[in-house]
């Protein structure tokens, strides 16, 4: 692996990387940084937690000159991801004056308009709020030279692709575009073909495989005992920090109420019905250890970089196998060990088989000792037939 200095980064950026305690580049950084420094467009597929943010931020900071208008636009699917990228960018620009503005929904316009008036170099935004500002004439994109489209598959899932296209249409044609998506279904490939010029492809590992440091298990149970099992699992697991994913906001709220009754847990929740200031507090508190459990819907939590998560629990088997990989990507990040537990009920056998088929790995069925199971048929571990997924992209090997 080359060193950061060998990748061609400028002095102030190298010093910031050292200050961030990064010793050597991750594979995606080693591949993407030299190409991006040469001005090439990049299409990158990479598992979460692989250092993607630095892979696009470091070369852009190096290449950015002086201007009175924004030079770089970074689009992110969620507010939390946008805020996380802002934090990292400020860290990498420690030795280079860089004015960054963060634009997302759920908060007032006043502060953002002030930020835009302050001649930002970089705009980090979610698509909806950015379009609002563009429509109001608050933003001048005429000198925008760098466009980053991050977590594009999540933007597709959230229905943002039309907004993203409208935004790209307003950007100058002469620009460098860096495009990241964990999966590449047809709609995303089409967008990439349209938005990028002769891109370099950067792909790290197999797109579908979860981090190798994660231990997976299904915990089969009757539907009526799902909550009891999860509470027992939380009680019996020696976790330091745990993320629990639910399908719905209602499930998240109900589970949070029950978790609060367990001694030694400091749970909080993250979903889109919670007001922005409380979402920020929940995330901040989970990061700094004030909370040791966060119950989140997938949409709210996707892509967030939360280090040191020791356990992930899926309240239900995710409906899309891709989501399974994304969710358990929260643990086992940066080569740490992690555990991922998924509660499995009889109505979810097809989804479970689809997940196993997708990740090409059999997931062990486990039984919780000292739990009084009403129904044990599922524990027999009969292989279910994989569900056919005609829309799933073909597995690509490097
Ligand atoms: P990301 O995939 O960009 O969300 O990054 C995941 C985590 O890895 C973040 O906490 C980064 O600060 C960290 N990270 C990124 N690159 C490196 C590196 N070269 N060395 C050590 N940590 C890194």
């Amino acid at each position: 692996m080359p060193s950061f200095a060998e990748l061609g980064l400028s002095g102030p950026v190298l010093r910031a990387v050292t200050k961030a305690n990064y010793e050597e580049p991750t594979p995606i950084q080693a591949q993407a940084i030299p190409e991006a420094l040469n001005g090439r467009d990049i299409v990158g597929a990479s598992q979460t937690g692989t250092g993607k943010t630095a892979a696009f931020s470091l070369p852009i900071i190096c290449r950015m000159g002086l201007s009175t208008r924004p030079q770089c636009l970074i689009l992110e699917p969620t507010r939390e991801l946008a805020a996380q990228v802002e934090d990292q960018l400020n860290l990498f620009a420690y030795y280079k004056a860089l004015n960054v503005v963060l634009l997302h929904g759920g908060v007032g316009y006043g502060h953002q308009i002030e930020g835009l008036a302050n001649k930002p170099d970089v705009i980090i935004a979610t698509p909806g709020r950015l379009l609002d500002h563009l429509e109001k004439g608050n933003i001048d994109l005429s000198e925008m030279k760098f466009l980053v489209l991050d977590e594009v598959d999540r933007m597709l899932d959230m229905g943002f692709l039309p907004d993203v296209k409208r935004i790209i249409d307003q950007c100058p044609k002469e620009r460098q575009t860096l495009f990241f998506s964990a999966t590449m279904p047809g709609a995303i490939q089409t967008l990439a073909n349209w938005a990028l010029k002769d891109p370099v492809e950067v792909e790290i590992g197999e797109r579908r495989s979860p981090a190798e440091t994660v231990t997976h298990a299904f915990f089969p149970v009757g539907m009526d005992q799902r909550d009891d099992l999860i509470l027992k699992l939380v009680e019996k697991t020696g976790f330091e920090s745990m993320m629990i994913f639910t399908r719905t906001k209602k499930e998240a709220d109900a589970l949070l109420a029950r978790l609060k009754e367990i001694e030694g847990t400091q749970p909080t929740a993250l979903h889109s019905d919670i007001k922005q200031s409380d979402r920020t507090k929940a995330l901040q508190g989970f990061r700094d250890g004030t909370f040791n459990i966060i119950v989140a819907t997938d949409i709210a939590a996707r892509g967030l970089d939360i280090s040191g998560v020791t356990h992930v629990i899926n309240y239900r088997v995710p409906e899309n196998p891709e989501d399974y990989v994304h969710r358990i990507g929260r643990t086992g990040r940066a080569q740490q060990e992690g555990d991922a537990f998924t509660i499995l009920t009889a109505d979810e056998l097809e989804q479970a088989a689809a997940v196993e088929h997708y990740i090409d790995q059999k997931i062990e069925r486990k039984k919780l000792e000292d739990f009084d199971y009403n129904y044990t048929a599922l524990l027999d571990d009969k292989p279910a037939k994989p569900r056919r997924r005609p829309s799933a992209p073909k597995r690509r090997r490097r």
Side-chain angles (χ1 to χ4, degrees):
M1 190 67 66
S3 67
F4 275 110
E6 286 165 337
L7 298 181
L9 295 167
S10 63
V13 172
L14 273 179
R15 273 189 284 147
V17 164
T18 308
K19 191 172 187 318
N21 286 328
Y22 291 5
E23 285 170 10
E24 62 167 23
T26 64
I28 193 170
Q29 290 160 3
Q31 286 188 34
I33 290 172
E35 301 286 3
L37 284 172
N38 280 332
R40 293 290 303 270
D41 280 4
I42 286 181
V43 55
S46 174
Q47 290 171 30
T48 52
T50 51
K52 180 164 52 89
T53 317
F56 65 72
S57 306
L58 299 176
I60 290 178
I61 298 171
C62 289
R63 297 196 76 214
M64 222 169 337
L66 289 174
S67 174
T68 52
R69 304 210 177 103
Q71 298 173 64
C72 172
L73 172 62
I74 301 175
L75 284 185
E76 294 288 339
T78 65
R79 303 163 190 179
E80 282 79 11
L81 264 177
Q84 182 175 295
V85 170
E86 184 199 23
D87 288 345
Q88 287 222 39
L89 210 67
N90 283 325
L91 189 72
F92 302 141
Y94 193 83
Y95 297 105
K96 180 165 173 169
L98 203 67
N99 197 352
V100 180
V101 67
L102 179 63
L103 310 176
H104 59 60
V107 292
Y109 282 78
H111 191 60
Q112 297 182 356
I113 291 172
E114 272 170 36
L116 285 168
N118 211 10
K119 300 193 174 58
D121 302 292
V122 181
I123 297 174
I124 305 173
T126 52
R129 182 56 68 95
L130 181 78
L131 275 176
D132 284 353
H133 281 291
L134 282 170
E135 274 155 21
K136 290 188 167 84
N138 298 341
I139 301 180
D140 176 358
L141 289 179
S142 62
E143 288 199 16
M144 217 273 303
K145 296 187 183 68
F146 308 98
L147 173 64
V148 179
L149 303 169
D150 195 18
E151 300 269 346
V152 181
D153 47 355
R154 176 67 4 169
M155 299 217 242
L156 170 76
D157 290 351
M158 294 171 79
F160 289 161
L161 276 208
D163 286 354
V164 172
K165 283 189 191 140
R166 281 171 62 204
I167 293 165
I168 300 175
D169 253 338
Q170 298 197 38
C171 293
K173 297 259 175 303
E174 275 307 309
R175 59 165 197 261
Q176 182 178 15
T177 309
L178 309 179
F179 187 108
F180 296 91
S181 187
T183 54
M184 278 281 173
I188 293 183
Q189 194 62 58
T190 308
L191 180 72
N193 293 345
W194 173 67
L196 298 162
K197 261 193 229 144
D198 186 24
V200 179
E201 273 195 41
V202 176
E203 187 178 343
I204 307 300
E206 290 179 331
R207 287 178 184 180
R208 294 175 179 195
S209 50
E212 283 163 13
T213 47
V214 177
T215 310
H216 314 242
F218 279 136
F219 280 86
V221 72
M223 238 175 293
D224 55 331
Q225 286 192 298
R226 186 198 307 270
D227 283 12
D228 293 338
L229 181 75
I230 215 166
L231 293 170
K232 193 81 172 173
L233 204 52
V234 170
E235 254 179 63
K236 296 195 82 176
T237 303
F239 65 93
E240 282 165 32
S241 65
M242 178 182 279
M243 294 190 83
I244 304 180
F245 289 94
T246 60
R247 254 184 227 170
T248 66
K249 302 167 202 172
K250 215 169 136 196
E251 282 169 1
D253 287 336
L255 192 59
L256 177 68
R258 293 206 59 191
L259 285 166
K260 282 183 176 163
E261 292 163 16
I262 302 181
E263 217 177 299
T265 61
Q266 287 88 34
T268 186
L270 184 75
H271 61 67
S272 58
D273 277 356
I274 297 173
K275 70 175 198 279
Q276 187 58 40
S277 55
D278 289 338
R279 282 168 67 169
T280 307
K281 268 189 219 150
L283 203 52
Q284 186 53 41
F286 187 64
R287 283 195 168 116
D288 69 23
T290 311
F291 300 114
N292 58 2
I293 302 182
I294 193 161
V295 186
T297 55
D298 180 51
I299 291 272
R302 166 85 178 267
L304 290 178
D305 173 36
I306 300 170
S307 55
V309 175
T310 56
H311 292 76
V312 165
I313 299 186
N314 289 311
Y315 185 74
R316 291 169 183 270
V317 180
E319 282 175 311
N320 298 310
E322 295 90 338
D323 286 341
Y324 180 85
V325 177
H326 286 297
R327 290 184 192 184
I328 64 169
R330 311 298 94 224
T331 183
R333 299 195 110 192
Q335 304 306 310
Q336 288 178 354
E337 300 289 319
D339 284 330
F341 303 146
T342 301
I343 309 297
L344 173 64
T345 55
D347 61 328
E348 297 172 320
L349 288 178
E350 269 200 5
Q351 279 108 322
V355 167
E356 290 180 320
H357 184 60
Y358 186 76
I359 65 171
D360 201 14
Q361 191 178 326
K362 178 88 185 146
I363 299 174
E364 190 187 349
R365 271 74 173 157
K366 279 193 177 165
K367 188 170 181 229
L368 191 62
E369 293 307 317
D370 303 330
F371 182 75
D372 194 9
Y373 285 90
N374 291 339
Y375 167 80
T376 54
L378 269 180
L379 292 165
D380 295 344
D381 193 19
K382 284 194 206 87
K385 268 201 199 143
R387 185 175 52 153
R388 284 183 71 82
R389 288 176 41 85
S391 60
K394 263 191 112 174
R395 187 180 186 119
R396 284 181 50 175
R397 293 194 181 274
R398 293 180 69 210

